[in-house]
Amino acid sequence: MRTAPRTAAAVPGDPRTRDRGGSPRHRAPGAGAAPGPTAAAGAGGRPWRRLRGAVLWLATGTALLLVAATSGLLPLQPMHVDAASMTPTVSPGDLLLVRHGQGPVQRGDVVAVTDPFGDGMLVKRAVALGGDEVAIEDGVLVVDGTAVCEPAIDPARLDGVWFGPVAVPEGHLFLLSDNRDGSVDSRAFGPVPASTLVGTVPARLWPDPGALPSPSTGC
């Protein structure tokens, strides 16, 4: 009795089925086959996840750095100026750099101090130190009987009021505004304790970055 021929079974290496052998789970795709959706997503997703993670770490680090800087926890601190009392040296809207712990204050330094009338900071010029005698004679600053050359001061912003002389106690600073026509400074609130000093102001960060002019340049 004759039976119908059987269909040839697929065996590993059978050229009719293009089977190269091995377990189906580990077979390589054909030469012209496109990668599956899972493989494609994995290949493109890993670099994107790394980039996203790096951006998140950078944003977090920048935020923490800004918080630390504005809180005075770092040696350098940015400070935004709102008032016009230090024009023309510093203008409203300027972003200044405050430097902490850089030695004793020198006469003529621009400094940031705690506001005697509030919780913020003031930017002023330290014109006299503890033990000095300070006065203003017809708009001219006089320290220990000697007129002080102040090229950074705009003569148009000086008032003609006589002030002092006043003795500055030890451990205190006498502060004046560069815009001395009606500004509030040590003429109003007196010498301030050196302990209220936040730091010196050596430079402007914005909008015109650079060092503030030296108090003796041009003398």
Side-chain angles (χ1 to χ4, degrees), residues 104-110 125-133 143-144 148 215-216:
V105 175
Q106 305 295 321
R107 293 187 190 91
D109 283 351
V110 177
R125 192 177 295 275
V127 299
L129 311 176
D132 291 342
E133 185 180 77
V143 177
D144 291 339
V148 179
S216 59

PDB file of all heavy atoms in Angstrom, residues 104-110 125-133 143-144 148 215-216:
ATOM      1  N   PRO A 104      41.518  93.296  57.087  1.00  0.00           N
ATOM      2  CA  PRO A 104      40.884  94.514  57.591  1.00  0.00           C
ATOM      3  C   PRO A 104      40.486  95.458  56.464  1.00  0.00           C
ATOM      4  O   PRO A 104      41.109  95.482  55.397  1.00  0.00           O
ATOM      5  CB  PRO A 104      41.978  95.130  58.476  1.00  0.00           C
ATOM      6  CG  PRO A 104      43.261  94.579  57.936  1.00  0.00           C
ATOM      7  CD  PRO A 104      42.942  93.203  57.452  1.00  0.00           C
ATOM      8  N   VAL A 105      39.463  96.243  56.728  1.00  0.00           N
ATOM      9  CA  VAL A 105      39.000  97.239  55.755  1.00  0.00           C
ATOM     10  C   VAL A 105      39.998  98.390  55.694  1.00  0.00           C
ATOM     11  O   VAL A 105      40.545  98.826  56.711  1.00  0.00           O
ATOM     12  CB  VAL A 105      37.603  97.748  56.161  1.00  0.00           C
ATOM     13  CG1 VAL A 105      37.138  98.863  55.247  1.00  0.00           C
ATOM     14  CG2 VAL A 105      36.605  96.591  56.155  1.00  0.00           C
ATOM     15  N   GLN A 106      40.239  98.889  54.481  1.00  0.00           N
ATOM     16  CA  GLN A 106      41.102 100.048  54.271  1.00  0.00           C
ATOM     17  C   GLN A 106      40.244 101.286  54.001  1.00  0.00           C
ATOM     18  O   GLN A 106      39.113 101.171  53.517  1.00  0.00           O
ATOM     19  CB  GLN A 106      42.037  99.803  53.081  1.00  0.00           C
ATOM     20  CG  GLN A 106      42.868  98.530  53.185  1.00  0.00           C
ATOM     21  CD  GLN A 106      43.851  98.571  54.336  1.00  0.00           C
ATOM     22  OE1 GLN A 106      44.460  99.612  54.612  1.00  0.00           O
ATOM     23  NE2 GLN A 106      44.019  97.440  55.010  1.00  0.00           N
ATOM     24  N   ARG A 107      40.777 102.456  54.306  1.00  0.00           N
ATOM     25  CA  ARG A 107      40.047 103.687  53.984  1.00  0.00           C
ATOM     26  C   ARG A 107      39.806 103.761  52.483  1.00  0.00           C
ATOM     27  O   ARG A 107      40.703 103.534  51.679  1.00  0.00           O
ATOM     28  CB  ARG A 107      40.842 104.915  54.427  1.00  0.00           C
ATOM     29  CG  ARG A 107      40.990 105.068  55.927  1.00  0.00           C
ATOM     30  CD  ARG A 107      41.650 106.401  56.256  1.00  0.00           C
ATOM     31  NE  ARG A 107      42.025 106.483  57.671  1.00  0.00           N
ATOM     32  CZ  ARG A 107      43.197 106.123  58.144  1.00  0.00           C
ATOM     33  NH1 ARG A 107      44.127 105.657  57.314  1.00  0.00           N
ATOM     34  NH2 ARG A 107      43.451 106.234  59.436  1.00  0.00           N
ATOM     35  N   GLY A 108      38.597 104.085  52.132  1.00  0.00           N
ATOM     36  CA  GLY A 108      38.233 104.188  50.728  1.00  0.00           C
ATOM     37  C   GLY A 108      37.602 102.937  50.152  1.00  0.00           C
ATOM     38  O   GLY A 108      37.074 102.972  49.033  1.00  0.00           O
ATOM     39  N   ASP A 109      37.633 101.829  50.876  1.00  0.00           N
ATOM     40  CA  ASP A 109      37.014 100.600  50.372  1.00  0.00           C
ATOM     41  C   ASP A 109      35.497 100.752  50.280  1.00  0.00           C
ATOM     42  O   ASP A 109      34.856 101.351  51.162  1.00  0.00           O
ATOM     43  CB  ASP A 109      37.322  99.417  51.299  1.00  0.00           C
ATOM     44  CG  ASP A 109      38.737  98.892  51.127  1.00  0.00           C
ATOM     45  OD1 ASP A 109      39.430  99.326  50.184  1.00  0.00           O
ATOM     46  OD2 ASP A 109      39.155  98.047  51.953  1.00  0.00           O
ATOM     47  N   VAL A 110      34.928 100.178  49.217  1.00  0.00           N
ATOM     48  CA  VAL A 110      33.473 100.034  49.143  1.00  0.00           C
ATOM     49  C   VAL A 110      33.121  98.747  49.884  1.00  0.00           C
ATOM     50  O   VAL A 110      33.706  97.693  49.633  1.00  0.00           O
ATOM     51  CB  VAL A 110      32.988  99.974  47.688  1.00  0.00           C
ATOM     52  CG1 VAL A 110      31.473  99.760  47.629  1.00  0.00           C
ATOM     53  CG2 VAL A 110      33.364 101.259  46.955  1.00  0.00           C
ATOM     54  N   ARG A 125      30.863 103.561  51.285  1.00  0.00           N
ATOM     55  CA  ARG A 125      32.313 103.691  51.249  1.00  0.00           C
ATOM     56  C   ARG A 125      32.817 103.950  52.667  1.00  0.00           C
ATOM     57  O   ARG A 125      32.337 104.861  53.350  1.00  0.00           O
ATOM     58  CB  ARG A 125      32.737 104.823  50.309  1.00  0.00           C
ATOM     59  CG  ARG A 125      34.237 104.812  50.016  1.00  0.00           C
ATOM     60  CD  ARG A 125      34.596 105.898  49.022  1.00  0.00           C
ATOM     61  NE  ARG A 125      33.995 105.674  47.720  1.00  0.00           N
ATOM     62  CZ  ARG A 125      34.519 104.900  46.774  1.00  0.00           C
ATOM     63  NH1 ARG A 125      35.660 104.253  47.012  1.00  0.00           N
ATOM     64  NH2 ARG A 125      33.919 104.776  45.603  1.00  0.00           N
ATOM     65  N   ALA A 126      33.781 103.127  53.100  1.00  0.00           N
ATOM     66  CA  ALA A 126      34.376 103.312  54.429  1.00  0.00           C
ATOM     67  C   ALA A 126      35.439 104.407  54.317  1.00  0.00           C
ATOM     68  O   ALA A 126      36.516 104.179  53.776  1.00  0.00           O
ATOM     69  CB  ALA A 126      34.995 102.010  54.906  1.00  0.00           C
ATOM     70  N   VAL A 127      35.124 105.599  54.831  1.00  0.00           N
ATOM     71  CA  VAL A 127      36.036 106.739  54.671  1.00  0.00           C
ATOM     72  C   VAL A 127      36.921 106.950  55.891  1.00  0.00           C
ATOM     73  O   VAL A 127      37.927 107.658  55.813  1.00  0.00           O
ATOM     74  CB  VAL A 127      35.247 108.030  54.364  1.00  0.00           C
ATOM     75  CG1 VAL A 127      34.463 107.874  53.063  1.00  0.00           C
ATOM     76  CG2 VAL A 127      34.314 108.389  55.510  1.00  0.00           C
ATOM     77  N   ALA A 128      36.548 106.344  57.027  1.00  0.00           N
ATOM     78  CA  ALA A 128      37.343 106.495  58.243  1.00  0.00           C
ATOM     79  C   ALA A 128      37.192 105.249  59.096  1.00  0.00           C
ATOM     80  O   ALA A 128      36.153 104.573  59.060  1.00  0.00           O
ATOM     81  CB  ALA A 128      36.919 107.732  59.027  1.00  0.00           C
ATOM     82  N   LEU A 129      38.269 104.945  59.858  1.00  0.00           N
ATOM     83  CA  LEU A 129      38.312 103.743  60.682  1.00  0.00           C
ATOM     84  C   LEU A 129      38.374 104.118  62.154  1.00  0.00           C
ATOM     85  O   LEU A 129      38.442 105.299  62.508  1.00  0.00           O
ATOM     86  CB  LEU A 129      39.527 102.897  60.295  1.00  0.00           C
ATOM     87  CG  LEU A 129      39.716 102.647  58.796  1.00  0.00           C
ATOM     88  CD1 LEU A 129      41.011 101.881  58.548  1.00  0.00           C
ATOM     89  CD2 LEU A 129      38.519 101.902  58.210  1.00  0.00           C
ATOM     90  N   GLY A 130      38.354 103.103  63.010  1.00  0.00           N
ATOM     91  CA  GLY A 130      38.420 103.353  64.442  1.00  0.00           C
ATOM     92  C   GLY A 130      39.663 104.153  64.831  1.00  0.00           C
ATOM     93  O   GLY A 130      40.770 103.843  64.402  1.00  0.00           O
ATOM     94  N   GLY A 131      39.465 105.195  65.624  1.00  0.00           N
ATOM     95  CA  GLY A 131      40.561 106.070  66.026  1.00  0.00           C
ATOM     96  C   GLY A 131      40.734 107.292  65.159  1.00  0.00           C
ATOM     97  O   GLY A 131      41.476 108.219  65.515  1.00  0.00           O
ATOM     98  N   ASP A 132      40.058 107.349  63.988  1.00  0.00           N
ATOM     99  CA  ASP A 132      40.152 108.514  63.097  1.00  0.00           C
ATOM    100  C   ASP A 132      39.195 109.612  63.546  1.00  0.00           C
ATOM    101  O   ASP A 132      38.198 109.363  64.250  1.00  0.00           O
ATOM    102  CB  ASP A 132      39.799 108.119  61.657  1.00  0.00           C
ATOM    103  CG  ASP A 132      40.847 107.223  61.015  1.00  0.00           C
ATOM    104  OD1 ASP A 132      41.987 107.184  61.522  1.00  0.00           O
ATOM    105  OD2 ASP A 132      40.513 106.562  60.009  1.00  0.00           O
ATOM    106  N   GLU A 133      39.490 110.822  63.104  1.00  0.00           N
ATOM    107  CA  GLU A 133      38.573 111.947  63.254  1.00  0.00           C
ATOM    108  C   GLU A 133      38.144 112.366  61.864  1.00  0.00           C
ATOM    109  O   GLU A 133      38.981 112.633  60.997  1.00  0.00           O
ATOM    110  CB  GLU A 133      39.254 113.108  63.975  1.00  0.00           C
ATOM    111  CG  GLU A 133      38.305 114.277  64.266  1.00  0.00           C
ATOM    112  CD  GLU A 133      39.018 115.410  64.994  1.00  0.00           C
ATOM    113  OE1 GLU A 133      39.762 116.157  64.306  1.00  0.00           O
ATOM    114  OE2 GLU A 133      38.838 115.545  66.220  1.00  0.00           O
ATOM    115  N   VAL A 143      39.916 113.847  56.941  1.00  0.00           N
ATOM    116  CA  VAL A 143      40.187 112.799  57.923  1.00  0.00           C
ATOM    117  C   VAL A 143      41.479 113.149  58.646  1.00  0.00           C
ATOM    118  O   VAL A 143      42.516 113.369  58.007  1.00  0.00           O
ATOM    119  CB  VAL A 143      40.303 111.413  57.252  1.00  0.00           C
ATOM    120  CG1 VAL A 143      40.669 110.346  58.283  1.00  0.00           C
ATOM    121  CG2 VAL A 143      38.992 111.044  56.552  1.00  0.00           C
ATOM    122  N   ASP A 144      41.384 113.228  59.964  1.00  0.00           N
ATOM    123  CA  ASP A 144      42.532 113.593  60.794  1.00  0.00           C
ATOM    124  C   ASP A 144      43.170 114.908  60.332  1.00  0.00           C
ATOM    125  O   ASP A 144      44.397 115.060  60.277  1.00  0.00           O
ATOM    126  CB  ASP A 144      43.580 112.475  60.808  1.00  0.00           C
ATOM    127  CG  ASP A 144      43.102 111.241  61.563  1.00  0.00           C
ATOM    128  OD1 ASP A 144      42.179 111.379  62.392  1.00  0.00           O
ATOM    129  OD2 ASP A 144      43.638 110.151  61.320  1.00  0.00           O
ATOM    130  N   VAL A 148      40.863 114.752  51.838  1.00  0.00           N
ATOM    131  CA  VAL A 148      41.001 113.478  51.132  1.00  0.00           C
ATOM    132  C   VAL A 148      40.659 113.672  49.662  1.00  0.00           C
ATOM    133  O   VAL A 148      39.615 114.241  49.320  1.00  0.00           O
ATOM    134  CB  VAL A 148      40.086 112.410  51.748  1.00  0.00           C
ATOM    135  CG1 VAL A 148      40.201 111.089  50.996  1.00  0.00           C
ATOM    136  CG2 VAL A 148      40.412 112.209  53.226  1.00  0.00           C
ATOM    137  N   PRO A 215      39.880 104.023  44.859  1.00  0.00           N
ATOM    138  CA  PRO A 215      39.599 105.353  45.451  1.00  0.00           C
ATOM    139  C   PRO A 215      40.733 106.349  45.245  1.00  0.00           C
ATOM    140  O   PRO A 215      40.515 107.561  45.403  1.00  0.00           O
ATOM    141  CB  PRO A 215      39.383 105.044  46.933  1.00  0.00           C
ATOM    142  CG  PRO A 215      40.100 103.750  47.144  1.00  0.00           C
ATOM    143  CD  PRO A 215      39.959 102.979  45.883  1.00  0.00           C
ATOM    144  N   SER A 216      41.921 105.898  44.886  1.00  0.00           N
ATOM    145  CA  SER A 216      43.061 106.816  44.727  1.00  0.00           C
ATOM    146  C   SER A 216      43.430 107.044  43.271  1.00  0.00           C
ATOM    147  O   SER A 216      44.327 107.856  42.985  1.00  0.00           O
ATOM    148  CB  SER A 216      44.290 106.253  45.478  1.00  0.00           C
ATOM    149  OG  SER A 216      44.628 104.984  44.969  1.00  0.00           O
TER     150      SER A 216
END
